[in-house]
Amino acid sequence: MKIGLVVNPVAGLGGAVGLKGTDGADTVAEALRRGAEPQAGLRARRALTRLAARVPGCAISVAPGPLGADWAAGLDLRPSIAPLPERRGTAHDTRAAVLALADCDLLVFAGGDGTARDVAAVLPQGRGLLGIPCGVKMHSGVFAISPEAAGAALADLCTAQGGVQWDDSAEIMDIDEDILRAGRLAPRLYGLARVPRLRSRMQAAKGGPRQDAAAALAGAAAEIARGMEAGVLYLIGPGTSAGAVALAAGHRPSLLGTDAMLDGKMLARDARSADLERLAQGRRVRIILGVTGQQGFLLGRGNQTISAGLIAQAGREGLIVLATAEKLGALAQPMLWVDTGAPALDADLTGFVQVHTGPRQRRLMRIGAAA
Amino acid sequence: MTRLPNFHAAKWDEPVVMELGRPGGRGQLFPAPEAEIAEAVGDNPVPEAMRRKDRPVLPEITEFEAQRHYLHLSQMTLGMMGVSLFGTCTMKYNSKTSEFATWRPQIAEVHPYQHPDTLQGVLEIMHDFDGILQSLSGMDQFVFQPGGGADAAYTMTAVARAYWADRGQLGQRTEMVTSIQAHPCNPATAAAAGFTVINLPLEENGYPSLEALKAALSERTALIMLNNPDDMGIYNPEIREWVQAAKDVGALCFYDHANFNGVMGKLSARELGFDACMFMLHKTFGAPKAGGGPAVGAFGCSAELAPYMPAPVVAKQGDRYVLDEDRPKSCGKIREFWGNVPQVVKAYAWARAMGAEGIQLASDISVVANNYMDHRLAKLPGIERSNPDVTKRRMEMTRWSLAPLHEETGIGTVEIANRMADYGIDPWWMSHEPWIVPQPFTPEAGELWSKEDIDLWIDVLAKIMQEARENPELVRTAPHNQPIAQVKGDAFENPSKWAMTWRAYLRKRDQAAAQGAA
């Protein structure tokens, strides 16, 4: 497997000095003015140190200077430096570095959600992504839990026998930092990325049957589609899990937005809140949702088009949740979270929900209020 | 530290038996029939139409060579003759005394089609063993048909289906609730029987919360299926409340006693409110294990459920033992006849030899042995106990995680299991599905293994963990001291790579050669 590394050296700079993020040159300047010290390169080095200890002499392609090569220097690795003028860490630099490393099977980046967005925007189809967690915001489902875990994962991937399994449904999420500084958390789903399945948390026993996650999801989705009631408005949230229900019902989901179905027909794709609310008037509403990777968000991360009013109309009993057992098993905490922006509604939603993990298979999960 | 054995398994580099021998090689040379006999039966007594055209393809080999070959093969199998703390399986010695009991003609040479009058002895054993299991569980009737623990769990789902169908509620009672850490045969058999499976997650005490159970229960719940303790070794002390919550919605309650060793003689499933339970005679009761069927999952239930259990059951009428087949509400047969009777006899022999006090003492020993092991394992850097925040003592086994060592060295539970075989230690049990503990392993000492055996096992583990840090390649490529090296598991999923018969082997070999030439 050919691995490429790009470091966003200013990622995370805003965090320690209370800036909630580091998007844009002005924020970087402000963070530096407030005395922030760059951490992302040091964190990338921690990951590389672990990789070098586990797979001495490992070949890796790196962006030049502080965008990669500096942090691999002196370690027992064989870095090849991508031809690229050295720059400092703007979004443009990240994208240029990714393009220079585009022949790699797996692109490893050190950064946060903003970097993930920049990387995912230009990463060619079919290339994998793995994040060394360095950002202020990390809502995307592409990050290892620590720099060391990222290094260990790389070592596993380099030495994997029998190939690597991939998951094409990791969410790339980011928050508009200006809105966040104004006190509101409004992350958006920007796309879906391909990530390696890290099997350190869950692994099928050797020689035993491997669970086919896609088949389990499709089976659960088909069961939900079959059980759709007449006269009920079904809102289908973003992501491949919820979208599988639309597919099972014979429709193409928008995946990045919220769709609406009624009596087997697709009424709206990638609809705005106001349109969904209009459709919901005078009808029973049920909401089909996936779970965000690692973090376990049900509502309030990437699906804000489903407004608090619509959620209240559906109620907790109106939530239909799908996720593979593997995804639930890989959550940082064994819980699901809601953050609808309405604290009273969040409190109403806390309790338990049955997550559909396969045909006639459900997992009970506790819902907590994130705020 | 124990002296670690400088072990190497036997390695006989021999062809398979079909390739041994030489033309004309014979096991036995039978005398020609006497003249009178030859005259009476003629030249060939087999009717023309039934005669085979070709000679059978058999190895042409002497009896001595055949014996030697199979002895060599037996030496090259891993066996289960090292120290085997194979958790969740409760490894026990299968005594020769009970083996001899089943060799007696009254067991070995009887057939279930015989008239029951000629089977009174074996029926008496089954009846009395039913009574022993009733004493241990508080249930009212046992049946021994199921061929293993999963088959007994399936029996429960079949009984539940018959019970709810009889009440006209099978269309409504469609759900089975269990813990994510229950043995997977519980969700699997419930799914096979057509129920929707609802798994409860583990919460902070190391088992699911009562609150979660109540959230999952409803008028749709047909039954709940539980282990207690589960494979983490944590006993759920709220079990009475659990059963009561299920009863409150009318559901049936099944106690999977796969992990009975830690609580033998200490509790009664019926007193806790359960409607049914199962015991694995091939683990808890000292009968031999066998893959995929020739074991026994003894299924027992309350008088209320008994009409629905598989038929026949052994009953006593006056001073005679009979097979009660006339059970119109029965769920039907789970397998043929009465189950694996020799296993029942061996389990009966074990229970009679142990006695009530012996069974309780064995339970105490197994819990003490595991806690001794916990105490030593906790000192090894690189492993951690599952549910590390739960400080209370574990029961008869504990699930551990090698995640810290794996992250540090890349050596995980599969690699260490392979390397253990190099020390003559049987590879460990990792975990049932799903693997909610990363890089898991689950040792169980039971009452059999001595302190010396347990110490040796832990010392071997410590040595391999040291190897993982100093020479990970040695561990990654293990085993080195076994007759064959690491087996690549991918061939299991490719039928062209394996053969169950010599004929299939030749066919697939020729096919592969033809494809290679094409």
Side-chain angles (χ1 to χ4, degrees):
Chain A
M1 170 172 309
K2 197 164 178 206
I3 293 174
L5 170 77
V6 58
V7 175
N8 173 6
V10 299
L13 209 54
V17 290
L19 285 176
K20 299 201 165 53
T22 327
D23 290 354
D26 294 347
T27 316
V28 173
E30 174 62 18
L32 291 171
R33 194 189 62 75
R34 292 192 191 184
E37 288 183 18
Q39 295 292 324
L42 295 172
R43 292 174 72 85
R45 190 172 178 82
R46 279 166 55 191
L48 293 174
T49 304
R50 176 58 58 90
L51 172 63
R54 285 270 309 277
V55 189
C58 184
I60 181 167
S61 301
V62 294
L67 303 194
D70 287 359
W71 313 107
L75 295 177
D76 189 359
L77 295 170
R78 281 189 295 120
S80 57
I81 301 171
L84 192 77
E86 257 183 57
R87 300 241 177 76
R88 287 162 303 143
T90 62
H92 176 269
D93 296 346
T94 303
R95 292 177 185 217
V98 171
L99 287 173
L101 296 166
D103 63 332
C104 293
D105 304 303
L106 178 73
L107 201 290
V108 185
F109 70 93
D113 280 334
T115 318
R117 249 176 83 187
D118 292 330
V119 172
V122 294
L123 190 69
Q125 190 87 30
R127 302 283 192 264
L129 199 58
L130 177 68
I132 301 169
C134 303
V136 182
K137 305 160 293 165
M138 282 179 289
H139 297 290
S140 303
V142 298
F143 293 103
I145 56 168
S146 68
E148 284 73 19
L154 285 177
D156 285 346
L157 294 168
C158 289
T159 54
Q161 291 173 352
V164 175
Q165 290 194 314
W166 299 93
D167 176 356
D168 285 309
S169 64
E171 307 88 352
I172 299 291
M173 302 240 268
D174 198 10
I175 293 169
D176 186 317
E177 291 180 7
D178 289 335
I179 297 179
L180 182 65
R181 288 191 196 100
R184 274 181 48 221
L185 190 57
R188 273 185 54 195
L189 182 62
Y190 282 89
L192 299 169
R194 160 173 271 220
V195 292
R197 287 223 166 105
L198 305 178
R199 300 202 295 161
S200 61
R201 289 189 74 84
M202 262 180 81
Q203 185 176 341
K206 265 210 163 169
R210 224 172 277 293
Q211 284 233 336
D212 184 337
L217 196 63
E223 188 177 67
I224 292 166
R226 275 198 305 275
M228 282 180 156
E229 296 171 67
V232 176
L233 183 75
Y234 288 88
L235 304 183
I236 299 171
T240 45
S241 302
V245 178
L247 279 177
H251 299 288
R252 193 167 54 87
S254 66
L255 288 183
L256 295 188
T258 301
D259 307 336
M261 276 185 66
L262 178 71
D263 296 333
K265 296 189 183 67
M266 186 67 96
L267 294 191
R269 294 180 75 248
D270 198 6
R272 293 176 306 151
S273 294
D275 296 331
L276 296 173
E277 281 164 2
R278 201 163 40 248
L279 288 171
Q281 270 170 23
R283 290 205 171 93
R284 270 178 64 209
V285 174
R286 302 200 72 182
I287 305 173
I288 299 170
L289 297 167
V291 171
T292 64
Q294 309 283 342
Q295 320 227 347
F297 268 92
L298 208 52
L299 285 163
R301 296 289 183 277
N303 52 16
Q304 281 84 353
T305 44
I306 305 173
S307 64
L310 288 165
I311 297 163
Q313 199 173 336
R316 194 175 70 216
E317 284 67 37
L319 302 182
I320 301 171
V321 185
L322 294 86
T324 61
E326 190 179 17
K327 194 172 197 178
L328 295 178
L331 294 179
Q333 272 182 280
M335 279 193 68
L336 303 181
W337 301 98
V338 292
D339 182 12
T340 64
L345 178 61
D346 287 351
D348 285 346
L349 292 173
T350 58
F352 290 94
V353 66
Q354 290 185 12
V355 180
H356 295 252
T357 54
R360 286 197 275 121
Q361 290 169 40
R362 300 186 203 147
R363 172 89 57 87
L364 201 74
M365 294 293 288
R366 196 183 274 274
I367 300 177
Chain B
M1 174 137 166
T2 332
R3 194 189 73 83
L4 301 188
N6 183 13
F7 172 85
H8 201 297
K11 180 174 182 174
W12 297 100
D13 190 18
E14 282 180 6
V16 298
V17 70
M18 296 302 292
E19 293 175 326
L20 289 178
R22 64 210 64 77
R26 300 285 287 269
Q28 294 281 342
L29 203 56
F30 296 101
E34 290 82 352
E36 314 86 86
I37 294 173
E39 196 175 331
V41 299
D43 211 23
N44 190 340
V46 180
E48 174 72 29
M50 291 176 71
R51 284 180 206 160
R52 59 182 306 152
K53 307 281 183 290
D54 312 312
R55 285 171 161 270
V57 182
L58 293 173
E60 297 181 79
I61 185 173
T62 66
E63 182 176 313
F64 155 68
E65 287 168 324
Q67 287 276 11
R68 184 175 63 182
H69 177 64
Y70 283 100
L71 176 67
H72 290 171
L73 288 186
S74 74
Q75 290 169 341
M76 289 198 294
T77 59
L78 210 52
M80 275 282 179
M81 294 309 288
V83 178
S84 184
L85 310 188
F86 202 76
T88 81
C89 274
T90 317
M91 306 303 286
K92 297 196 184 190
Y93 178 63
N94 309 137
S95 84
K96 294 297 171 213
T97 326
S98 43
E99 190 69 37
F100 292 149
T102 60
W103 289 357
R104 294 169 68 91
Q106 295 90 336
I107 302 295
E109 293 175 16
V110 295
H111 193 280
Y113 280 152
Q114 285 176 221
H115 193 280
D117 283 354
T118 68
L119 296 168
Q120 288 296 301
V122 64
L123 288 175
E124 180 180 354
I125 289 177
M126 297 189 75
H127 179 268
D128 287 0
F129 189 55
D130 176 4
I132 290 171
L133 296 188
Q134 288 181 26
S135 310
L136 283 166
S137 65
M139 296 299 161
D140 296 312
Q141 177 74 57
F142 273 81
V143 66
F144 305 105
Q145 266 184 32
D151 211 6
Y154 181 69
T155 303
M156 180 65 221
T157 65
V159 166
R161 226 168 29 188
Y163 173 88
W164 288 117
D166 193 33
R167 278 157 184 71
Q169 292 184 42
L170 190 56
Q172 170 202 326
R173 300 279 181 174
T174 57
E175 295 178 354
M176 189 285 283
V177 179
T178 187
S179 156
I180 191 174
Q181 195 53 35
H183 279 178
C185 68
N186 292 299
T189 57
F195 293 107
T196 293
V197 173
I198 301 173
N199 278 304
L200 305 178
L202 304 188
E203 297 198 65
E204 57 204 27
N205 293 326
Y207 46 85
S209 67
L210 186 57
E211 193 188 354
L213 173 72
K214 287 180 175 171
L217 292 169
S218 72
E219 71 288 350
R220 294 185 299 280
T221 313
L223 73 164
I224 67 171
M225 301 174 87
L226 299 170
N227 296 94
N228 192 26
D230 64 18
D231 290 354
M232 308 281 192
I234 299 175
Y235 185 81
N236 176 354
E238 297 169 345
I239 197 68
R240 268 180 208 280
E241 290 80 0
W242 275 56
V243 172
Q244 189 54 51
K247 297 274 157 196
D248 288 346
V249 299
L252 298 174
C253 300
F254 173 68
Y255 197 158
D256 174 347
H257 263 320
N259 300 343
F260 191 53
N261 229 55
V263 295
M264 291 188 293
K266 309 286 183 183
L267 55 77
S268 147
R270 189 80 187 122
E271 278 175 23
L272 291 171
F274 285 93
D275 301 291
C277 71
M278 73 93 173
F279 295 112
M280 286 144 103
L281 305 190
H282 49 283
K283 30 197 265 194
T284 318
F285 292 83
K289 291 172 173 52
V296 175
F299 174 83
C301 62
S302 65
E304 189 190 5
L305 282 188
Y308 306 98
M309 72 192 330
V313 297
V314 180
K316 192 173 187 186
Q317 287 177 354
D319 58 353
R320 289 187 70 256
Y321 299 95
V322 297
L323 287 161
D324 179 5
E325 298 264 11
D326 184 22
R327 302 174 74 83
K329 292 186 172 181
S330 165
C331 67
K333 285 198 184 299
I334 292 298
R335 64 183 294 156
E336 71 278 13
F337 302 120
W338 329 336
N340 292 309
V341 172
Q343 296 283 77
V344 177
V345 174
K346 288 172 186 175
Y348 173 76
W350 179 88
R352 290 294 300 266
M354 296 290 283
E357 286 177 7
I359 287 174
Q360 288 196 352
L361 181 61
S363 184
D364 290 340
I365 292 171
S366 68
V367 174
V368 169
N370 183 51
N371 277 276
Y372 172 70
M373 203 158 41
D374 269 9
H375 179 73
R376 277 207 62 196
L377 287 173
K379 293 179 184 163
L380 296 185
I383 65 174
E384 64 187 14
R385 207 157 74 152
S386 58
N387 300 294
D389 300 333
V390 178
T391 52
K392 77 177 187 181
R393 284 186 192 281
R394 304 305 198 257
M395 301 287 289
E396 85 292 2
M397 72 177 132
T398 305
R399 178 151 300 150
W400 290 82
S401 171
L402 274 165
L405 183 80
H406 180 252
E407 196 164 293
E408 180 189 341
T409 65
I411 297 298
T413 185
V414 173
E415 289 80 11
I416 291 197
N418 284 338
R419 180 64 178 153
M420 289 178 105
D422 282 342
Y423 291 92
I425 298 288
D426 291 18
W428 57 27
W429 173 247
M430 298 171 200
S431 169
H432 284 111
E433 297 287 333
W435 282 21
I436 55 180
V437 172
Q439 300 298 333
F441 67 99
T442 316
E444 177 185 3
E447 72 270 23
L448 171 65
W449 304 95
S450 66
K451 178 175 175 297
E452 293 80 5
D453 286 337
I454 295 170
D455 281 334
L456 170 65
W457 192 94
I458 295 171
D459 291 340
V460 165
L461 173 60
K463 176 72 163 52
I464 298 172
M465 291 173 72
Q466 184 189 342
E467 291 172 349
R469 294 183 170 101
E470 292 167 359
N471 187 0
E473 209 48 30
L474 176 73
V475 184
R476 200 188 311 284
T477 51
H480 307 285
N481 303 340
Q482 286 288 337
I484 58 168
Q486 219 171 86
V487 178
K488 281 201 166 52
D490 52 352
F492 295 135
E493 291 164 20
N494 182 356
S496 72
K497 295 272 178 74
W498 41 258
M500 297 299 160
T501 64
W502 180 246
R503 194 178 350 192
Y505 165 73
L506 292 179
R507 190 182 70 238
K508 291 177 181 182
R509 187 191 61 180
D510 293 348
Q511 279 169 356
Q515 278 164 8

